Amino acid sequence: MSDLLNIKNLSVDFNTPHGVVRAVNNVSFDVPMGKTIGLVGESGSGKSVTSLAVMGLIPNPPGEISEGQILFEGKDLVTMPEAQMRKIRGNDIAMIFQEPMTSLNPVFKVGSQIAEVLMLHMGMNPKQAWEKSVDLLNQVGIPNPKASAHKYPHEMSGGQKQRVMIAMAIACEPKLLICDEPTTALDVTIQKQVIDLMFDLQDKYNMGMLFITHDLGVIADIADDVVVMYRSNLVEKNTTKKIFTHASHPYTKGLIACRPALDKNPTRLLTVSDFMDENEKELIVPPERMKKVDKVYKFNEEENPILLEVKDLHVHFPLKGGILGRTVDHFKAVNGVSFKLRKGMTLGLVGESGCGKTTLGRAILRLIEPTAGEVIYNGANITNLDKKQMRAMRSKMQIIFQDPYSSLNPRMTIKDILLEPMDLHNIGANKKEKIEKAKWLMEKVGLNADQLSRYPHEFSGGQRQRICIARALAVSPDFIICDESVSALDVSVQAQVLNLLLDLQEEFGLTYIFISHDLSVVNFISDEVAVMNKGEFVELDKANEVYLRPKQQYTQNLLSAIPKGIPKELLAEQNS
Amino acid sequence: MLEQTAAENMEAKLNDEINTIGKSRSLWADAWHRLVQDKIAVSCLIIVGLYALVALLSGLGLIAADWSQEVGPSYAPPFENWDYILGTDLFGRSVLTKVIHGTQVAMSVGLVSSLIAIPIGVALGALAGYFGGWVDEVIVWFYTTVSSIPGIMLLMSIAFILGKGITTVYIALGLTSWVGLCRLIRGEVMKHKNREYVQAASAIGAGHPRKLIKHIIPNVTHIVIIFTSLQFQVAIKSEVILSYLGIGVSGQPSWGTMIDDAKLELAREVWWQLAGATVAMFVVVLAFNILGDALRDALDPKLKGKS
């Protein structure tokens, strides 16, 4: 087996106003022909910088490859002149990005975008190139490729766009394909299809693949070997099977353990910080923390009365048409949803993008006005409340959003952000009392109370999400909707935030609706789970029932698409 | 395409890394920090500061108050006598003093027209962008109507109603220049009102005034700052043109009236009055232009190197 790519002692530095930041430190690994190497790490670990270095795309300045070699078929890419590098890039080495929406040019037909690559690198004439791109679209499984080649990117779904990106990447039959989180933005069922497709293509063209992701579940399914990066360093490399069975570095162990499983989980998820301290020294995890328990669904009428009841809720958006802009039809984002939720319990809401789960959450809080139906909260129908009453009601019901970057006002300090809800609802007698409460909130969500004078951009994604939680708690609500609240976070941070949500639920008796596309996360945190599709509930039951004995075909398909998080070889061994 | 996306990815990740190192600093402080690192921008800021200082002193009557005084012979050339270093005009008045007084006129025109345009532009733009619907339709109809009248015609008609003079110039320039700002603010507010932080404000029970004034407007203020810098130079140039056409400042020297006077003087090879006013105007307009671009880069670093 010959090596296609050898990375030897690679170091990449970035010059910033705060000094030199080493993004990649002395990293070495190989990518053999026809094999897939998984590169795993959290954001900021240097995994993407490594891949950009291979593509010769490190922006210089401020970036610079300070040491090491990148050998591609024996030739060093680091010292190669740009003109020669340009021939290799796109021709021998191709790359697929996370965001198919922004990686395609919106003003050109997809067919001509693929054709352009072929004309540029393969010297084809326009007619040949067009025919070849139709053939490529066929290979990546786009339905009706001849007609689809004439489509513009916005006419395609997310999964289809990612397929087009793959078609573009393999157009010149590259020897090495670098995939930077190619499936992170996709729904699970689409993710599975895309991964299967990439497997087939790798087989067909005998490509080497470097697959970058933060999701160990996907890695287990796809990679032959795994390289783990942490804080710019390579901490572990081994075969996928060994990584999952005999991980040696505590970070790797933490990374494997922090992903919630679909069956049993510990009462609180393990996190990387359970496995090592700040100086990367290994810690011994107490066995009781590791113990996995079955989910028990229990409540009693007195402690857990029905807090929220939704009756036949509809949210319809008018579709305008015709020359006069009349309403010709309605898009039924939420179409007759009913459920009851008991105090202190969590309802998980899962479904693929566009199923209406976010709209449902906002309609319950009347951030979007429902078209029809009732929302009964604590015995009162809140759909009838006027503006003023509704505003008072907001102290009882809160929401935590998905994107911790855009859900905090960048011009306000954390203190102002936390004090605002208290001001609005007259909580706390004076300023001093309010600030005391803000400090208390900061500590409750695991942040340093001294950081109140800071601004949101000075915090990491996980910390920002904690601030959002603190803001929601500032009005002492009983009910919180978490709308994809952990989806934008790294897995290890995600586990910490999930644990925090559970701790807070226990302490304050909170009731949650937890909306997510990630079925394993929903399973971990919820007592009951509702599966949503096309604005309606497909299935609503206790979490165990939905996951272990799904009744509907739709739920079964969804569950089978989730990456198992166990390498193929191990699965085969377990089954035999 | 590929390269661009990769670079954007990189930038986001790098920013994340840098952010965890940095000290407590608001976005305004960050922008200021970026601005002062740009040497050319700092020079422009100093030039603008000097002009402002001269204008202020002149406005307080501390310098150039005696611009109408005869200090030497008619049309004395420059660099011959310290009392009238830049020469004199027809009536023997010092050109330097007139330039200084013209600075006061120019800067005050920039300032007052901005003070008129900004409240109108921000208020209408924010209301249109935030509420949408019929409010938006009315405001858009209004500003498209205003902007479809040729600016110079509007100015002339305002001058006709109010009479000639500096007040007319203030009002005329203020009332014609808010449209551009209004458009920018409207677009930016539309973008921001759907951001999650505004929805989060709704969720904690904030009403429309609070969401608009406390949350959205601080996030579009950078547009106002950039606009002001560019508005100053547009206003200064407009004043010069209006005064040159004889519908602007009268009864006191401004750069425009000086250039107007100079059109007859050039035939007699008297160039210094024209040169004095033109150079003074050119330097400050250039400084404001460069500063406007530097401010844009500093306040919105994501834009740098693109578009």
Side-chain angles (χ1 to χ4, degrees):
Chain A
M1 187 171 57
S2 63
D3 280 349
L4 187 64
L5 180 78
N6 314 80
I7 296 178
K8 287 183 180 167
N9 308 96
L10 180 73
S11 294
V12 182
D13 287 339
F14 280 88
N15 291 305
T16 73
H18 306 278
V20 177
V21 176
R22 178 151 280 200
V24 176
N25 184 29
N26 198 15
V27 166
S28 309
F29 64 91
D30 306 322
V31 182
M33 218 125 89
K35 292 275 176 191
T36 304
I37 306 300
L39 184 54
V40 189
E42 57 198 47
S43 48
S45 64
K47 59 185 198 304
S48 290
V49 180
T50 308
S51 65
L52 288 178
V54 175
M55 288 292 277
L57 290 179
I58 299 277
N60 183 9
E64 184 196 7
I65 296 177
S66 48
E67 265 172 72
Q69 289 179 305
I70 302 170
L71 298 177
F72 179 72
E73 297 184 311
K75 286 172 295 212
D76 189 0
L77 299 182
V78 176
T79 52
M80 190 175 280
E82 176 60 26
Q84 222 174 323
M85 189 66 215
R86 218 174 288 148
K87 272 186 204 151
I88 289 185
R89 188 161 53 211
N91 213 352
D92 291 331
I93 307 179
M95 192 158 180
I96 303 170
F97 293 101
Q98 176 174 354
E99 274 298 332
M101 325 300 167
T102 53
S103 308
L104 286 169
N105 191 332
V107 299
F108 292 109
K109 292 173 183 169
V110 294
S112 44
Q113 293 193 52
I114 303 172
E116 192 196 345
V117 177
L118 290 164
M119 292 185 321
L120 199 69
H121 285 287
M122 311 284 271
M124 289 186 183
N125 66 41
K127 194 162 169 280
Q128 282 174 322
W130 185 266
E131 275 163 13
K132 175 81 180 163
S133 47
V134 172
D135 174 48
L136 283 164
L137 287 174
N138 188 30
Q139 281 189 46
V140 296
I142 298 269
N144 197 0
K146 256 197 183 137
S148 295
H150 286 282
K151 282 187 179 173
Y152 289 92
H154 70 268
E155 297 176 284
M156 300 185 131
S157 69
Q160 286 182 334
K161 275 185 249 188
Q162 196 58 292
R163 283 167 193 267
V164 172
M165 283 304 294
I166 294 172
M168 245 161 119
I170 61 161
C172 305
E173 298 176 16
K175 292 166 184 152
L176 177 67
L177 185 62
I178 300 175
C179 316
D180 192 352
E181 310 245 12
T183 59
T184 309
L186 305 175
D187 283 320
V188 277
T189 47
I190 313 291
Q191 163 171 305
K192 188 172 160 55
Q193 292 167 9
V194 169
I195 286 177
D196 288 347
L197 167 70
M198 289 175 74
F199 253 132
D200 291 346
L201 292 171
Q202 179 181 31
D203 243 21
K204 192 166 167 190
Y205 295 108
N206 197 26
M207 289 182 292
M209 254 173 22
L210 182 59
F211 199 98
I212 300 157
T213 181
H214 69 284
D215 187 353
L216 270 169
V218 178
I219 282 289
D221 274 4
I222 197 167
D224 297 295
D225 290 337
V226 176
V227 175
V228 183
M229 280 185 79
Y230 179 63
R231 289 189 186 161
S232 317
N233 290 303
L234 188 156
V235 292
E236 189 159 2
K237 60 178 169 187
N238 215 327
T239 61
T240 309
K241 191 180 161 191
K242 283 248 172 69
I243 288 274
F244 277 87
T245 50
H246 300 96
S248 66
H249 195 276
Y251 176 72
T252 318
K253 290 181 193 171
L255 213 53
I256 294 169
C258 67
R259 218 180 115 70
L262 268 182
D263 44 3
K264 289 180 187 181
N265 279 304
T267 47
R268 292 291 182 271
L269 287 172
L270 293 155
T271 65
V272 169
S273 56
D274 286 314
F275 288 88
M276 64 183 191
D277 64 13
E278 302 218 320
N279 304 319
E280 296 179 35
K281 198 169 156 280
E282 182 150 12
L283 302 171
I284 291 162
V285 185
E288 69 269 18
R289 284 279 284 120
M290 304 272 273
K291 207 177 145 225
K292 294 188 170 185
V293 291
D294 270 320
K295 260 193 137 79
V296 228
Y297 180 78
K298 58 165 188 228
F299 62 87
N300 68 50
E301 278 301 330
E302 259 171 50
E303 273 179 46
N304 313 93
I306 289 174
L307 182 73
L308 178 79
E309 187 175 354
V310 172
K311 280 188 194 163
D312 198 27
L313 197 71
H314 289 260
V315 183
H316 295 179
F317 297 113
L319 297 172
K320 305 263 163 134
I323 36 168
L324 297 170
R326 276 175 306 131
T327 304
V328 290
D329 203 354
H330 285 90
F331 173 66
K332 294 172 177 135
V334 177
N335 196 14
V337 165
S338 308
F339 65 91
K340 290 176 188 170
L341 180 57
R342 287 177 181 279
K343 188 176 183 332
M345 308 292 252
T346 304
L347 171 72
L349 202 54
V350 287
E352 300 186 276
S353 50
C355 73
K357 56 189 192 299
T358 294
T359 313
L360 174 59
R362 311 240 156 137
I364 291 171
L365 293 183
R366 282 185 64 195
L367 290 172
I368 296 174
E369 288 298 330
T371 317
E374 289 176 20
V375 178
I376 295 159
Y377 181 83
N378 230 344
N381 184 354
I382 63 165
T383 45
N384 294 336
L385 298 182
D386 65 24
K387 262 187 175 172
K388 211 175 153 202
Q389 290 169 316
M390 191 60 219
R391 228 176 270 166
M393 197 70 195
R394 300 226 176 269
S395 70
K396 301 275 180 291
M397 321 170 81
Q398 278 298 309
I399 181 165
I400 302 164
F401 294 96
Q402 169 173 13
D403 185 357
Y405 291 84
S406 69
S407 54
L408 296 171
N409 187 341
R411 307 273 175 197
M412 284 164 86
T413 62
I414 306 308
K415 192 181 90 191
D416 293 339
I417 288 172
L418 294 181
L419 254 49
E420 187 179 24
M422 296 188 225
D423 287 340
L424 281 165
H425 294 281
N426 299 320
I427 294 164
N430 50 36
K431 184 117 193 200
K432 197 170 158 241
E433 216 168 281
K434 286 176 190 168
I435 290 175
E436 279 311 309
K437 173 146 190 195
K439 283 185 181 164
W440 175 80
L441 283 167
M442 287 291 271
E443 271 157 22
K444 273 287 161 237
V445 297
L447 290 172
N448 193 338
D450 303 338
Q451 294 175 328
L452 273 179
S453 59
R454 295 193 168 207
Y455 288 87
H457 67 273
E458 297 170 275
F459 292 89
S460 69
Q463 288 172 323
R464 272 185 246 205
Q465 203 55 290
R466 284 168 193 267
I467 296 168
C468 294
I469 296 173
R471 174 177 58 191
L473 289 174
V475 291
S476 321
D478 301 318
F479 169 60
I480 299 179
I481 293 185
C482 305
D483 187 1
E484 300 269 12
S485 302
V486 297
S487 310
L489 307 174
D490 279 319
V491 270
S492 57
V493 181
Q494 174 181 309
Q496 291 168 4
V497 174
L498 288 172
N499 287 347
L500 173 67
L501 286 171
L502 286 175
D503 290 342
L504 294 170
Q505 180 168 44
E506 225 172 75
E507 191 173 347
F508 301 111
L510 297 171
T511 310
Y512 293 137
I513 287 186
F514 195 93
I515 302 171
S516 179
H517 69 284
D518 189 333
L519 289 97
S520 42
V521 168
V522 167
N523 172 50
F524 168 70
I525 198 159
S526 310
D527 300 299
E528 286 178 286
V529 172
V531 181
M532 211 173 162
N533 186 30
K534 292 183 183 155
E536 290 168 20
F537 277 4
V538 177
E539 197 160 352
L540 169 63
D541 212 330
K542 291 168 212 153
N544 303 7
E545 289 295 319
V546 171
Y547 282 84
L548 301 176
R549 287 172 286 280
K551 290 177 194 66
Q552 302 297 327
Q553 186 62 42
Y554 182 78
T555 318
Q556 288 163 9
N557 292 345
L558 215 55
L559 286 167
S560 65
I562 303 175
K564 297 289 167 294
I566 302 168
K568 284 164 281 180
E569 304 150 51
L570 269 178
L571 267 181
E573 278 172 34
Q574 280 174 0
N575 288 341
S576 63
Chain B
M1 244 358 247
L2 239 77
E3 266 103 307
Q4 206 188 337
T5 323
E8 272 166 33
N9 261 335
M10 189 58 244
E11 204 178 278
K13 273 166 189 157
L14 204 68
N15 275 340
D16 235 27
E17 224 147 80
I18 295 165
N19 282 340
T20 46
I21 306 169
K23 294 173 290 298
S24 178
R25 214 158 58 178
S26 73
L27 291 179
W28 295 122
D30 262 357
W32 176 252
H33 185 75
R34 276 191 292 271
L35 186 70
V36 295
Q37 278 182 336
D38 184 346
K39 287 199 181 65
I40 297 174
V42 173
S43 325
C44 290
L45 201 61
I46 292 170
I47 292 173
V48 168
L50 285 175
Y51 270 81
L53 184 71
V54 167
L56 186 71
L57 292 176
S58 159
L60 293 171
L62 296 176
I63 53 170
D66 50 353
W67 56 269
S68 55
Q69 210 175 20
E70 202 178 318
V71 292
S74 180
Y75 291 139
F79 312 118
E80 284 183 353
N81 189 318
W82 274 112
D83 289 336
Y84 38 92
I85 182 74
L86 291 184
T88 60
D89 66 358
L90 174 65
F91 305 109
R93 298 179 297 198
S94 162
V95 170
L96 177 64
T97 323
K98 283 176 80 179
V99 167
I100 289 173
H101 190 89
T103 307
Q104 182 216 323
V105 171
M107 297 300 276
S108 66
V109 166
L111 183 70
V112 178
S113 69
S114 299
L115 288 179
I116 295 170
I118 289 169
I120 301 176
V122 171
L124 291 184
L127 290 174
Y130 184 80
F131 289 105
W134 67 266
V135 179
D136 187 38
E137 274 171 36
V138 169
I139 291 173
V140 168
W141 172 84
F142 180 58
Y143 75 58
T144 40
T145 308
V146 170
S147 72
S148 57
I149 302 168
I152 206 94
M153 297 290 288
L154 200 62
L155 289 174
M156 279 164 74
S157 51
I158 293 171
F160 186 74
I161 299 164
L162 296 174
K164 276 194 340 180
I166 195 155
T167 322
T168 305
V169 177
Y170 290 156
I171 293 171
L173 288 178
L175 290 184
T176 50
S177 54
W178 58 270
V179 173
L181 178 66
C182 184
R183 280 207 175 102
L184 286 173
I185 293 280
R186 175 177 169 263
E188 198 70 9
V189 168
M190 274 177 165
K191 210 171 79 189
H192 275 272
K193 77 167 175 189
N194 290 323
R195 293 266 163 96
E196 286 186 334
Y197 73 86
V198 181
Q199 294 194 21
S202 316
I204 58 168
H208 292 312
R210 189 182 189 93
K211 278 190 278 183
L212 189 55
I213 294 164
K214 193 147 185 232
H215 289 274
I216 297 178
I217 292 201
N219 279 293
V220 299
T221 312
H222 62 284
I223 292 178
V224 177
I225 295 176
I226 298 163
F227 169 82
T228 310
S229 171
L230 298 175
Q231 168 63 18
F232 253 85
Q233 53 98 2
V234 171
I236 289 169
K237 285 191 294 189
S238 302
E239 180 272 316
V240 168
I241 291 167
L242 289 178
S243 301
Y244 178 82
L245 291 176
I247 50 171
V249 177
S250 63
Q252 57 175 320
S254 81
W255 297 338
T257 54
M258 286 170 76
I259 294 170
D260 186 28
D261 291 347
K263 68 186 175 206
L264 299 172
E265 297 166 4
L266 271 184
R268 306 190 195 175
E269 294 186 348
V270 177
W271 52 268
W272 41 92
Q273 179 148 247
L274 177 74
T278 313
V279 169
M281 177 184 73
F282 177 76
V283 170
V284 73
V285 167
L286 185 68
F288 270 121
N289 260 321
I290 295 173
L291 192 62
D293 279 341
L295 280 170
R296 197 200 67 165
D297 288 349
L299 289 163
D300 204 349
K302 274 185 226 124
L303 279 174
K304 198 164 184 176
K306 289 176 206 164
S307 80

